[in-house]
Amino acid sequence: MKYISTRGQAPALTFEEAMLTGLARDGGLYVPETIPQMSATDIAALAGLSYEETAFRVMRPFIGDSFTDDEFRDIIARAYAGFGHAARAPLVQLAPGHFLLELFHGPTLAFKDFAMQLIGQLFEVALKRRGERVTIVGATSGDTGSAAIEAFRGLDAVDVFILFPHGRVSEVQRRQMTTPADANVHALALDGDFDDCQARLKDMFNDFAFRDGVRLAGVNSINFARVLAQVVYYFSSAVSLGAPGRKVSFTVPTGNFGDIFAGYIAKRMGLPIDRLVVATNQNDILHRCLTGQGYFKGETIPSISPSMDIQVSSNFERALFYAYGQDGNAVAQLMDELSTGGFNVSQGAMEALRESFSSGRASEEETLATIAATLKSSGELLCPHSAVGVKVAEETRDTSVPMITLATAHPAKFPDAVEKASGLRPPLPPRMADLYDRPERVCRIDNDLVAIETHIKGQITA
Ligand SMILES: *Cc1c(COP(=O)(O)O)cnc(C)c1O
């Protein structure tokens, strides 16, 4: 199994190489050269299996020779052992034909734990075998950073540094980054906004002396291993609603297009998915694009669903690659146009996208109203991201096909918005109820490349 770049100019890599590399050298994103297939019999055989065994069977064909079966089973077992629910990704019913896939039972209460916990264990095994260490640096608006720190804390082969915008993440998100005591994880509060964090991260990757000196690696959502981990719960949930005998649709609260792209991979593998519905907040570049208005950047407007406040969805490049018939040159040209504002999608590619994807958007008021209405009708308290999904799902769904909306975070991660909408302040689950009492460890840092690089070089353990 080889991985190729969406821009067609980088060398093909194994799964392990693509995972450790992240971004391809031509600026593209790695995708599998061919998408493995699961037959209706293979899919039917998933019924009743544990989440871990389903994960093994769905992901195994993508791994090639990078890990043995025993190694891979152990990795999966360790990745999900810290989840607070035996089903890992339980499905609850909201209304006739409408289900909620709860992806917030991991250690940091957002779906990013599914991928990050797995990638932490994959990195550790691969790097120990190679006798190598890496330094992972990430930029976060909140959820990615806490998931990464939780996944890599205490591991031997990695140091992790997370840049977050000082004063602009929720208190729960901040505490999840600053309270782990392990020496190899570091939270850096940057004097700037999220765009500054991302810009400094990019500067570090472009500073080749620094990049090679500290062996810089990335775990942002363009890493294919993260996408792969998310494919699993599309299978587990669809099978529990009757796949492969019955079609299902999914609505996915979307920012960087990583989570919903995993659904596209599941569909291409053979899972009978009818519609994949992209749900956006007021930052709706994807909804505009999928309704034929082109892909043009605007201003990011802060919202109550901050993990979806994004203008450029990095993983959308992967969907474009398939929509353009796997033509790397066409994708490279679109990405050039994007750097100066945006592009229009060709008619053929638009038709290909519409075969799988639909879209909708929710305003701030609609999001708050959906939290209140869903609590009243079903007793479920939604986080604002999940509420965007539920609103769009209700508006777009075909009642003859079961709809599964992904609940991407626990309401206690965004208590202010949830309280404003519902009057209820959601408590943290008991296993992390002392989060507000644990001591914090954080380094406040200038928005300055040299200062950040000097700090990192001084802190790494080997
Ligand atoms: C990251 C995140 C999203 C968006 O997921 P993408 O894969 O970036 O589309 C949605 N909701 C929550 C809570 C998140 O943390």
Side-chain angles (χ1 to χ4, degrees), residues 109-112 141-144 173 221 226 230 233 252-261 279 286 305-310 313-315 383-386 406-410 413-414:
L109 307 180
F111 83 92
K112 292 191 172 70
S141 57
D143 292 336
T144 302
Q173 289 173 323
S221 74
R226 278 188 56 187
Q230 294 163 4
Y233 46 69
V252 185
T254 295
N256 249 327
F257 211 81
D259 207 4
I260 194 157
F261 185 74
L286 286 165
S305 44
S307 303
M308 294 154 62
D309 289 348
I310 219 155
S313 291
S314 29
N315 278 290
C383 94
H385 308 76
S386 311
L406 274 51
T408 51
H410 191 287
K413 212 163 180 181
F414 302 94

Side-chain angles (χ1 to χ4, degrees), residues 276-354:
L276 287 163
V277 185
V278 173
T280 74
N281 64 24
Q282 57 196 352
N283 297 290
D284 62 351
I285 182 170
L286 286 165
H287 175 57
R288 282 185 276 126
C289 181
L290 290 167
T291 48
Q293 302 172 62
Y295 193 79
F296 293 93
K297 289 189 257 187
E299 281 280 296
T300 309
I301 312 162
S303 79
I304 53 171
S305 44
S307 303
M308 294 154 62
D309 289 348
I310 219 155
Q311 277 307 320
V312 173
S313 291
S314 29
N315 278 290
F316 193 51
E317 177 168 344
R318 287 188 162 113
L320 290 168
F321 178 69
Y322 290 104
Y324 278 84
Q326 313 200 28
D327 178 350
N329 290 328
V331 173
Q333 197 185 326
L334 295 177
M335 294 302 133
D336 263 0
E337 291 177 41
L338 182 60
S339 62
T340 57
F343 54 82
N344 284 301
V345 179
S346 73
Q347 198 186 333
M350 224 30 244
E351 280 164 19
L353 287 170
R354 283 192 181 134

